[in-house]
Amino acid sequence: MRTLTVELGPRAYPIHIGAGLLCRPELLEPALGKGPVAVVTNTTVGPLYLPTLRETLQAMGREPVVIELPDGEQYKTLAAIEQIVDQLLAHGCDRSTTLLALGGGVVGDITGFAASVYQRGVPFVQIPTTLLAQVDSSVGGKTGVNHPRGKNMIGTFYQPRAVLIDTDTLKTLPEREYRSGIAEVIKYGLIVDQGFFNYLEDNMDALLAQEPGVLAHVIEQSCADKAWVVAKDETEGGLRAILNLGHTFGHAIEAATGYGTYLHGEAVAIGMAMAADLSRRLDLLRESEQSAIYRLIKRAGLPTAAPALPVADYLRYMRVDKKAQEGRMRFVLLTAIGEATITGDVPEAAVIEAIQSHMEGR
Amino acid sequence: MRTLTVELGPRAYPIHIGAGLLCRPELLEPALGKGPVAVVTNTTVGPLYLPTLRETLQAMGREPVVIELPDGEQYKTLAAIEQIVDQLLAHGCDRSTTLLALGGGVVGDITGFAASVYQRGVPFVQIPTTLLAQVDSSVGGKTGVNHPRGKNMIGTFYQPRAVLIDTDTLKTLPEREYRSGIAEVIKYGLIVDQGFFNYLEDNMDALLAQEPGVLAHVIEQSCADKAWVVAKDETEGGLRAILNLGHTFGHAIEAATGYGTYLHGEAVAIGMAMAADLSRRLDLLRESEQSAIYRLIKRAGLPTAAPALPVADYLRYMRVDKKAQEGRMRFVLLTAIGEATITGDVPEAAVIEAIQSHMEGR
């Protein structure tokens, strides 16, 4: 097992990474309050891993309240928050309750948000079961739900007490979702860690085969890169926005095609390709680096071609991006592999070219 | 005009108190971001004060987005949050938007909560127009909405950038609501400020007549007392809970009779009478002090008799109080006028006696 710490002063917390961690009560114990424990999961993950987690909790003398949500991004809404609150109150869960998020990014985002607003805030623990959640959404304290007009428009910054990453849970993850998670892994290499990018070039096949040593290293390095950025800028005043590389384009793709058509990581992969393309068009990034980025994305089995939608649709969704300031789109761009920059100073013509050059069938 | 500061380090903010403040752009200016301004109000307060506020904003070159909610505690739900978010997104309001809460406690609580979760947090300003909101809910950063199973069960701790108390707005406040606000004023005397309690005994008639000097002093002293408590304990780890004197009983009365039957301050007045009674039963408070408390509550035209509901109903609602810990009710009790204590160590028999002795018709 490996343990990292997210350095956030009084809100610092550990990330434990390894196989079989769901069976380790001593990792959960320090993160739980004295009150009730409630596990939030979904109808896909619950049947697979809830029995193990429940057994571990029961061995600690804790019988958990279980709240099972339907599976899918379309259920990441305020209605889910209302449902969780309703269940917690029905079971007499008071302010000393700890919530455990057992599932992927959607479960983690919903549960974190519910924890941040239930009785004005109760502790929670992330137990991510998808690669995407393990390397990205479970670390850093962003919580939230979607609104029909945009993704993650309602949420909070709220840190978990601990993150428990049991790599065994990836064994049941569908191949397509596993590859989707690799998009965020590649992202860390692109924005802050050239050495990690090179490691991924050398080890992509082993990563795709879930070779244990490579997998553990990749998760650890991804979490370490993310934790470093988050510790420097918890509430996205500046630097943290680089974590959104590819996400402005990616969110627009997800929203315009209807959530669920593209997996989040797939949309981000396309978005990173577009961001690299835009960076090269603005003479920030060398063509050879752009090519290396495309190659690695493709080797991970991820797309670089965008759906053929009207450019106006892309632009409309991009303008409601949370990074926008005073109606102006802002972009995370690359100045090299391992170096990102944030700018609002991008000619719209270049953005349109970057979008059009990635459309399928062109 | 008088100005107080709530001392919360990087989240410190001013409270301005005086007549005609809605027309003072220089008080608003420092609290507004560079982006859009959105005013949240309701169908009662909007027609009265929105024109003045809008004129002040327009003179600053700021045309506000206006979001008008229906008036009433029954609309303090997650649906109102969804409606605000929807309107903000429809008007292209980004993360640089500032929300202004123009109205009573319900508008303030809803707007503050919306501000805390919109795009993971935007700034907001409280412009309370009821006495209750001016002396209590607008100060201290508690935000939230109700759930059918309990009041304020979904919310956050989130501080405003400024509080603007224009005492002119009280001229249109219905008499019954004005008196309801006095309940929270009396509370400050009871929990931390014996001198203020004595001042209220000497000046209750002038306060009921809204004599300007007395009114301004009462609002200022109430805000100062609350700000002092909040600065010591922002997120209710301990001391802050004394602000809930009378609220455990009061919330149960409001919930059990259906929100709106009793005004919040009326329920709190009855709750404070019950808390004083319980304190005396437990030999914490002298009978003469209990009598002085009842006299002052009655002089304010507030009730001390509780609705005749089954005791089990009271207890059931009291058990979901946010102060409850591990299923155990906790009470704010008085050891003297001006001195409060918090305890979980109260025999249920005494609680039941305190409730029964206040029932109407007994």
Side-chain angles (χ1 to χ4, degrees), chain A residues 168-344:
Chain A
D168 282 348
T169 61
L170 298 178
K171 291 177 183 165
T172 53
L173 189 68
E175 176 71 17
R176 185 178 164 199
E177 286 196 43
Y178 181 73
R179 289 197 314 263
S180 169
I182 296 178
E184 301 281 357
V185 170
I186 293 173
K187 183 188 76 179
Y188 297 113
L190 294 180
I191 57 174
V192 290
D193 197 341
Q194 198 203 342
F196 189 40
F197 185 88
N198 297 340
Y199 176 90
L200 291 171
E201 285 183 317
D202 295 342
N203 295 279
M204 184 53 77
D205 296 336
L207 177 59
L208 286 169
Q210 299 194 25
E211 195 274 290
V214 171
L215 180 59
H217 175 73
V218 161
I219 294 172
E220 183 186 11
Q221 195 57 44
S222 297
C223 290
D225 286 342
K226 176 148 189 186
W228 180 83
V229 173
V230 169
K232 292 214 156 199
D233 176 21
E234 185 177 0
T235 58
E236 200 162 314
L239 176 73
R240 182 169 180 159
I242 66 172
L243 293 172
N244 287 312
L245 177 73
H247 284 61
T248 303
F249 291 115
H251 283 168
I253 291 171
E254 286 183 274
T257 56
Y259 294 114
T261 308
Y262 285 79
L263 295 182
H264 177 65
E266 292 168 346
V268 166
I270 300 167
M272 291 194 300
M274 283 186 182
D277 180 84
L278 182 55
S279 304
R280 199 252 313 143
R281 278 173 205 280
L282 299 174
D283 286 330
L284 295 169
L285 186 70
R286 282 186 296 180
E287 189 151 2
S288 62
E289 293 187 291
Q290 187 197 355
S291 302
I293 293 168
Y294 278 58
R295 268 199 307 276
L296 190 60
I297 292 173
K298 286 176 177 167
R299 277 187 62 207
L302 289 163
T304 56
L309 301 165
V311 170
D313 282 13
Y314 279 98
L315 295 176
R316 187 158 50 85
Y317 282 105
M318 287 163 69
R319 284 206 184 84
V320 297
D321 185 80
K322 287 192 295 306
K323 283 186 301 301
Q325 282 181 357
E326 294 159 53
R328 183 161 208 175
M329 285 185 280
R330 297 178 76 230
F331 289 92
V332 184
L333 297 175
L334 296 174
T335 49
I337 288 172
E339 271 182 34
T341 183
I342 303 162
T343 177

Side-chain angles (χ1 to χ4, degrees), chain A residues 76-99:
Chain A
K76 189 176 150 180
T77 63
L78 276 184
I81 302 301
E82 189 132 40
Q83 192 186 333
I84 292 171
V85 169
D86 195 61
Q87 290 287 303
L88 291 173
L89 289 173
H91 286 90
C93 291
D94 64 19
R95 207 188 255 179
S96 65
T97 305
T98 304
L99 302 191

Side-chain angles (χ1 to χ4, degrees), chain A residues 37-57:
Chain A
V37 174
V39 178
V40 181
T41 187
N42 68 29
T43 47
T44 304
V45 176
L48 294 170
Y49 300 109
L50 184 58
T52 308
L53 180 59
R54 193 201 295 264
E55 215 167 284
T56 304
L57 288 166

Side-chain angles (χ1 to χ4, degrees), chain B residues 139-302:
Chain B
V139 175
K142 277 195 180 180
T143 81
V145 296
N146 300 329
H147 181 277
R149 292 182 195 265
K151 226 179 142 171
N152 296 320
M153 283 294 158
I154 311 175
T156 51
F157 288 100
Y158 195 71
Q159 302 296 337
R161 284 286 176 90
V163 182
L164 210 69
I165 299 178
D166 186 337
T167 52
D168 283 348
T169 60
L170 298 179
K171 290 176 183 165
T172 54
L173 189 67
E175 177 70 16
R176 185 179 164 198
E177 287 197 42
Y178 182 73
R179 289 197 314 265
S180 170
I182 296 178
E184 299 282 355
V185 169
I186 294 172
K187 183 188 74 180
Y188 297 114
L190 295 180
I191 57 175
V192 290
D193 197 341
Q194 197 203 344
F196 189 40
F197 185 88
N198 296 339
Y199 176 90
L200 292 172
E201 286 185 315
D202 295 342
N203 294 278
M204 184 52 77
D205 295 337
L207 177 59
L208 285 168
Q210 296 193 23
E211 196 274 289
V214 171
L215 181 58
H217 174 73
V218 161
I219 294 172
E220 184 186 9
Q221 195 56 43
S222 297
C223 289
D225 285 341
K226 175 148 190 185
W228 179 82
V229 173
V230 169
K232 291 213 158 202
D233 177 20
E234 185 177 1
T235 57
E236 200 162 312
L239 177 73
R240 183 169 179 158
I242 66 170
L243 293 171
N244 287 312
L245 176 73
H247 284 61
T248 303
F249 291 116
H251 282 168
I253 291 171
E254 286 184 273
T257 57
Y259 294 113
T261 307
Y262 285 79
L263 295 181
H264 178 65
E266 292 169 346
V268 167
I270 299 166
M272 292 194 299
M274 283 187 181
D277 180 86
L278 182 56
S279 304
R280 199 253 312 145
R281 278 175 204 279
L282 300 173
D283 286 329
L284 296 169
L285 186 70
R286 282 186 295 180
E287 189 152 3
S288 62
E289 294 187 291
Q290 187 197 355
S291 301
I293 293 167
Y294 278 58
R295 270 199 306 276
L296 190 61
I297 292 173
K298 286 176 177 166
R299 277 187 62 207
L302 288 164

Side-chain angles (χ1 to χ4, degrees), chain A residues 94 117 119 143 153 155 326, chain B residues 94 117 119-120 153 155 326:
Chain A
D94 64 19
V117 301
Q119 305 211 13
T143 81
M153 283 294 158
E326 294 159 53
Chain B
D94 64 17
V117 301
Q119 306 210 11
R120 298 202 183 92
M153 283 294 158
E326 294 159 55

